[in-house]
Amino acid sequence: AADAMKAALVALGSFDVIVSNPPYIRTEELAKLDDSVKFYEPVLALDGGEYGLDFYRAIIPGYKHALKNGGLIMFECGVGQSKDIENIFACNGYSDIKMYRDTLNIERVVSAVLKV
């Protein structure tokens, strides 16, 4: 098993696509979650740190070498996080950054392409 908070091991290989639904809930928001979530989901699957961005900040740079040239990486994200994730991608050299809305018109997925 790999730890997403650490850089990808070279032995992992390289991929055309990486898709992730990382923990993205702000630590302070955990107590406010609906009981159907907070009592049945492990905290490790929910807690994205102080701003909900810890995993994006780790995976986006840490998994670059696990993506093939022209590879696509996609993330689910929380409400209001897409612009921050777009900035993390841009600061790490990704391009073709796109956001996709869910059925409630919320920006819910952010994708980017790695061109080296």
Side-chain angles (χ1 to χ4, degrees):
D3 181 348
M5 294 299 285
K6 296 179 181 173
L9 299 172
V10 173
L12 187 61
S14 60
F15 301 89
D16 294 313
V17 178
I18 295 175
V19 178
S20 178
N21 179 11
Y24 56 75
I25 298 171
R26 294 173 179 239
T27 303
E28 68 182 28
E29 297 292 322
L30 293 173
K32 300 173 190 174
L33 291 174
D34 186 88
D35 289 350
S36 66
V37 176
K38 71 180 172 186
F39 293 134
Y40 299 99
E41 295 288 337
V43 172
L44 288 173
L46 302 171
D47 191 351
E50 183 178 1
Y51 299 102
L53 300 170
D54 287 0
F55 282 83
Y56 305 102
R57 289 183 177 135
I59 296 170
I60 289 171
Y63 278 66
K64 280 176 83 168
H65 64 275
L67 266 178
K68 292 179 180 176
N69 186 33
L72 177 72
I73 184 167
M74 304 177 79
F75 292 101
E76 180 176 349
C77 62
V79 175
Q81 293 177 325
S82 62
K83 294 292 183 198
D84 290 325
I85 297 165
E86 177 182 20
N87 288 334
I88 297 168
F89 272 131
C91 288
N92 283 280
Y94 290 81
S95 61
D96 299 327
I97 303 165
K98 296 180 183 173
M99 288 168 243
Y100 302 89
R101 296 181 179 274
D102 65 13
T103 57
L104 297 175
N105 205 32
I106 297 167
E107 290 180 343
R108 186 62 70 184
V109 173
V110 182
S111 71
V113 173
L114 181 64
K115 294 180 183 170
V116 287

